[in-house]
Amino acid sequence: MEKFRQFVVFLGAAALLGSLSVVIVVIWVLHWRGGLAWDYGLLEFNWHPVLSTTGLIFINGFGIIIYRLPWTWNIRKPLMKYIHAGMNIVTFVLMVISLLAVFDFHNSKKIPNMYSLHSWIGLAAVIMHALQLLLGLCTFLLPCTPTFIRTFYMSFHVGVGLFIFGMSVTAAEMGITEKLIFSLRSGSNTTLPYSQSPPEAILVNTLGVFILLFGGCILWIAIHPEWKRPPEHLKENVGGEDASILNKTNVSAEIGNENIPEGIERLRHLHFEDVGQRATF
Amino acid sequence: MEKFRQFVVFLGAAALLGSLSVVIVVIWVLHWRGGLAWDYGLLEFNWHPVLSTTGLIFINGFGIIIYRLPWTWNIRKPLMKYIHAGMNIVTFVLMVISLLAVFDFHNSKKIPNMYSLHSWIGLAAVIMHALQLLLGLCTFLLPCTPTFIRTFYMSFHVGVGLFIFGMSVTAAEMGITEKLIFSLRSGSNTTLPYSQSPPEAILVNTLGVFILLFGGCILWIAIHPEWKRPPEHLKENVGGEDASILNKTNVSAEIGNENIPEGIERLRHLHFEDVGQRATF
């Protein structure tokens, strides 16, 4: 695998930044925003940032690059498809609850729904994610779907998936901005307004920076064709001995490019024509 | 050129969405926000969204994909580098004025600077853009810079450039969110607050959607290796006759892949090892 160290650095950074984002959003709502409940009030609203960060950012992000992990390349593609689909189903379920929480809160407080740019882009991302999931299941997991339809739909699936992820990160940043402005107003119960940078504002701004960096790491991994999972037919063609080399990719690639076994060398000499034909280009 | 029609669709969409974004932001400040002036007040602040949308979004975006336009492939690379650098210098100048406007406004109104997530990510994007410009000028335009440094720095330059553009789009969306919340408050001079979706809110939310779609189009064009400018040495190697074919790329590619002349066919069979070695991977 080319530039294996760079891949590991970005993957490690994504894992760290993504996990920290989920932890920070939980600390935020528990420590500063009164906790979590299903009370049609502010505590129910708090499920919205927690579930959105966990679902549409963290799980969706790792769902995008799941095929890129060399440690999964000896797992058969159908199982990987189920894992990818499963992560997106979990994301969808979390987002349904996340939206219920915010609509419940708005309705009980007589706050209009869907007026902000955050709500426009956020809801569009969730609807597009649901359609993408449905079309993906029908196209790639229904055995009766013809191959030409799968090939035709693939680059669309990849492009729209990356765009939905970008929309999700953008919506998260706007959501953080909105929530800090609304909850840290001058004259509210807090000691300092947002413009005076209280500790809550510093922590949640940092959450926004982490989410953006996480998004950058995921997209950087996703757009590198040299980090793609080798196609199934090539894996099958290289036969038993070379196939076993795949299991050692992580070990061999850590040593450096010069020492990568010939089988892997052959696998990485893919043609540009392959670009856009597989799960993540 | 592969998938030439898709390229033209995304390029056309980017041109339309980018131009409309600049037009809408100008209409916004002239029609709803009192116009433009250098008065240390709200009219000076209005330069901030106008110049940021024009600079860090529109010109920076097209600067990223300028090498991708097949109509420029018969222009020598050094001239293209000057055009790319020139667009980024214009972006930098516009952003300096844009930041001056917002800092002047804050200071005259005793509003703290740099407290919001928008300001953190926006200023980071401008500083990173300035450093990227300086390093880019030293690396790619100073004749004395050794080739190995250019090669080493290139993938970093590309990756950071794309990330800065993503940061800029995100900062713009947060800036729109902030400005609409602050200027369309309940009890302000406007007839309706943001939550009641007055025409200004609908128009400026639409601006946010256009900027996001513009960002998606630019990044989609930038991450497609098959739309890269052919490397100089290949262009020189194909000689006079084939080089003249390059001038006809747009015509031939419009006909369809089957009819692309052999010279272009050879040029597009680039190897993965080229990825990250040139201006936009």
Side-chain angles (χ1 to χ4, degrees), chain B residues 19-94:
Chain B
S19 311
L20 278 175
S21 297
V22 173
V23 169
I24 292 175
V25 78
V26 170
I27 291 173
W28 179 25
V29 301
L30 293 185
H31 185 70
W32 275 287
R33 295 287 122 219
L36 295 160
W38 203 262
D39 62 350
Y40 296 86
L42 274 166
L43 303 193
E44 182 171 330
F45 173 88
N46 289 344
W47 283 109
H48 180 64
V50 169
L51 296 180
S52 301
T53 307
T54 311
L56 217 44
I57 303 293
F58 187 78
I59 301 177
N60 184 28
F62 275 101
I64 286 172
I65 59 161
I66 195 75
Y67 295 104
R68 288 290 204 270
L69 309 178
W71 309 278
T72 68
W73 288 355
N74 58 338
I75 299 173
R76 299 288 298 174
K77 189 71 177 279
L79 177 56
M80 290 307 297
K81 285 186 188 176
Y82 284 116
I83 294 171
H84 178 71
M87 292 173 83
N88 281 297
I89 290 169
V90 171
T91 296
F92 173 71
V93 172
L94 295 183

Side-chain angles (χ1 to χ4, degrees), chain A residues 109-158:
Chain A
K109 301 284 179 194
K110 312 278 186 234
I111 299 169
N113 289 303
M114 301 304 303
Y115 69 86
S116 71
L117 182 56
H118 162 73
S119 64
W120 286 24
I121 290 175
L123 188 67
V126 175
I127 292 172
M128 284 169 70
H129 179 269
L131 289 173
Q132 171 94 335
L133 177 61
L134 187 68
L135 282 172
L137 289 173
C138 294
T139 310
F140 302 115
L141 286 181
L142 275 189
C144 59
T145 307
T147 308
F148 78 92
I149 291 182
R150 293 184 180 186
T151 308
F152 173 79
Y153 177 59
M154 181 52 87
S155 69
F156 189 80
H157 182 76
V158 171

Side-chain angles (χ1 to χ4, degrees), chain A residues 188-231:
Chain A
S188 69
N189 291 333
T190 55
T191 48
L192 286 172
Y194 189 21
S195 62
Q196 295 298 317
S197 300
E200 178 181 350
I202 301 291
L203 182 86
V204 183
N205 278 359
T206 307
L207 166 67
V209 173
F210 283 2
I211 288 177
L212 189 73
L213 292 172
F214 171 75
C217 290
I218 293 291
L219 291 176
W220 189 243
I221 292 171
I223 65 177
H224 271 72
E226 67 267 39
W227 292 336
K228 280 165 87 171
R229 177 186 166 97

Side-chain angles (χ1 to χ4, degrees), chain B residues 205-216:
Chain B
N205 278 358
T206 307
L207 166 66
V209 173
F210 283 3
I211 288 176
L212 189 73
L213 292 172
F214 172 76

Side-chain angles (χ1 to χ4, degrees), chain A residues 2-3 6 111-118 120-121 155-156 158-160 162-163 166-167 169-170 172-174 176-178 180-182 185 194-197 201-209 212-213 215-217 219-220 223-226 228 265 268-276 281, chain B residues 2-3 6 111-118 120-121 155 158-160 162-163 166-167 169-170 172-174 176-178 180-182 185 194-197 201-209 212-213 215-217 219-220 223-226 228 265 268-276 278 281:
Chain A
E2 281 183 78
K3 301 184 200 159
Q6 191 190 118
I111 299 169
N113 289 303
M114 301 304 303
Y115 69 86
S116 71
L117 182 56
H118 162 73
W120 286 24
I121 290 175
S155 69
F156 189 80
V158 171
V160 173
L162 294 182
F163 188 62
M167 289 171 80
V169 170
T170 310
E173 305 291 323
M174 284 188 286
I176 286 171
T177 299
E178 274 191 12
L180 286 176
I181 292 174
F182 291 145
R185 287 177 195 273
Y194 189 21
S195 62
Q196 295 298 317
S197 300
I202 301 291
L203 182 86
V204 183
N205 278 359
T206 307
L207 166 67
V209 173
L212 189 73
L213 292 172
C217 290
L219 291 176
W220 189 243
I223 65 177
H224 271 72
E226 67 267 39
K228 280 165 87 171
E265 274 297 307
R268 73 186 175 109
H269 284 277
L270 309 174
H271 218 270
F272 270 168
E273 272 62 21
D274 277 331
V275 171
F281 71 113
Chain B
E2 281 183 78
K3 301 184 198 160
Q6 192 190 118
I111 299 169
N113 290 302
M114 301 304 304
Y115 69 86
S116 71
L117 182 56
H118 162 73
W120 286 22
I121 291 176
S155 69
V158 171
V160 173
L162 294 181
F163 188 62
M167 289 170 81
V169 170
T170 310
E173 305 290 324
M174 285 188 285
I176 286 171
T177 299
E178 274 191 12
L180 286 176
I181 292 174
F182 291 144
R185 287 178 195 272
Y194 188 22
S195 62
Q196 295 298 317
S197 298
I202 301 291
L203 182 86
V204 182
N205 278 358
T206 307
L207 166 66
V209 173
L212 189 73
L213 292 172
C217 290
L219 291 176
W220 189 243
I223 65 178
H224 271 72
E226 66 268 39
K228 279 166 87 171
E265 274 297 307
R268 72 185 177 109
H269 284 277
L270 309 174
H271 218 269
F272 270 169
E273 271 62 21
D274 278 329
V275 171
R278 288 181 291 120
F281 71 113

